[in-house]
Amino acid sequence: MTRETPPLALLLDVDGPIASPVTRNVSAGIIASLIALVREGIPVVFNTGRSDAFIAEQVMGPMIDAGMPARSVVHAICEKGATWFSFTPNGPGTVHLDRELAMPAAFGDDVRDLVAARYADLMFFDETKRAMVSVEQQVTVENADYLAQQDRFDADVLALLARHDLGAVRLDHRAPATSGRIDYRVDPTIISTDIESVRLGKDLGASRAVELLAAQGIVPGAWRTMGDSRTDYAMADWLHHQDHEVKHVDVRPADGVPEKPYPVLTSVDVGLGLDIIHDDAGAAFLKAWLDAVTA
């Protein structure tokens, strides 16, 4: 079922709110809620730093296996807007890549070699990324052990960027290229480090989401965005600045909830404690939205 004017559309980060940051898997309950929302004509769009391969394996496959409604379409914006594709009950469509936003291949090769030489016991090089260069914590490693070495790895990455004369920023640290330009970003998360174009971000993903729905003739009455980090607020920021009604859900508010001109929700708003975070909080919000549209 597709509504041209659904009461709301969902724009969802994947790591944290949908996929467990521990197992990287998506629970059967979350899959069931996503399918039920799609069945009610609610647009579901994933807006993630993950690759299209990850979404196909961890989200699309389980949704199709669990029974997506006939003629339904779900959109996935991956690598923070650099790639995107749509899927139906019959499988995925074409994966689109904005090649202007891709990291230089030679730099990616050097990061792969760096991981193999110094960090393979803690992290792996993500071979599925098409534009970004990413490394991720091994699932067999304790998160505290990974985080203890993340700064050292990121410093090595900044040194590699300088060797390639690629200007970059990491948090408050700026290291311009010889031209004075900063075209790239080193973005550490709780389980990974992404090296990417500064033009990528959840705001770009939000823009693509609106375009994808507009191409279907769908104009939602409101948006609900959900994420687990400060960078995820960018999707709600963009929607608000474009005059869309939006509420943002933060499933890991321990970083601090910033002041925003739109409502920000946490697990407390669905009757849970602040200790309920990540995909447990995400599951609760999906259920609440489903209850609201089926009431």
Side-chain angles (χ1 to χ4, degrees), residues 188-268:
T189 78
I190 60 171
I191 59 169
S192 67
T193 291
D194 298 324
I195 307 101
E196 62 202 29
S197 167
V198 294
R199 294 164 58 193
L200 297 182
K202 294 302 180 74
D203 48 349
L204 177 59
S207 173
R208 295 207 194 282
V210 170
E211 291 174 0
L212 288 168
L213 293 188
Q216 295 178 267
I218 297 173
V219 180
W223 287 85
R224 300 291 182 266
T225 59
M226 184 158 61
D228 71 334
S229 72
R230 285 294 187 94
T231 57
D232 290 318
Y233 282 84
M235 48 185 159
D237 291 344
W238 187 90
L239 288 165
H240 175 78
H241 291 151
Q242 298 300 316
D243 296 324
H244 296 275
E245 181 184 334
V246 61
K247 295 180 181 179
H248 181 70
V249 174
D250 191 334
V251 301
R252 193 169 62 91
D255 284 350
V257 176
E259 288 290 331
K260 291 293 181 180
Y262 48 80
V264 177
L265 310 176
T266 69
S267 56
V268 172

Side-chain angles (χ1 to χ4, degrees), residues 8 114-115 143 196 228:
L8 56 86
L114 172 65
V115 172
N143 186 240
E196 62 202 29
D228 71 334

Side-chain angles (χ1 to χ4, degrees), residues 83-242:
T83 67
W84 62 98
F85 74 105
S86 304
F87 62 89
T88 71
N90 297 319
T94 300
V95 177
H96 302 277
L97 167 65
D98 188 335
R99 296 187 182 279
E100 291 185 359
L101 300 178
M103 295 294 303
F107 169 76
D109 292 341
D110 282 352
V111 174
R112 182 189 292 107
D113 291 344
L114 172 65
V115 172
R118 302 184 191 175
Y119 297 98
D121 58 329
L122 292 170
M123 61 188 72
F124 63 90
F125 182 90
D126 188 344
E127 298 286 356
T128 68
K129 294 293 180 77
R130 300 173 187 264
M132 298 163 55
V133 172
S134 298
V135 303
E136 184 175 335
Q137 174 194 324
Q138 298 278 10
V139 294
T140 56
V141 170
E142 291 293 330
N143 186 240
D145 294 335
Y146 170 80
L147 293 175
Q149 295 299 317
Q150 187 180 45
D151 286 351
R152 183 164 69 94
F153 171 78
D154 289 358
D156 287 344
V157 164
L158 286 168
L160 280 179
L161 286 161
R163 191 179 308 165
H164 285 263
D165 197 23
L166 302 174
V169 59
R170 180 190 184 273
L171 304 178
D172 295 329
H173 176 78
R174 297 172 61 85
T178 54
S179 65
R181 292 177 58 90
I182 292 180
D183 293 319
Y184 301 100
R185 176 194 303 121
V186 178
D187 184 20
T189 78
I190 60 171
I191 59 169
S192 67
T193 291
D194 298 324
I195 307 101
E196 62 202 29
S197 167
V198 294
R199 294 164 58 193
L200 297 182
K202 294 302 180 74
D203 48 349
L204 177 59
S207 173
R208 295 207 194 282
V210 170
E211 291 174 0
L212 288 168
L213 293 188
Q216 295 178 267
I218 297 173
V219 180
W223 287 85
R224 300 291 182 266
T225 59
M226 184 158 61
D228 71 334
S229 72
R230 285 294 187 94
T231 57
D232 290 318
Y233 282 84
M235 48 185 159
D237 291 344
W238 187 90
L239 288 165
H240 175 78
H241 291 151
Q242 298 300 316

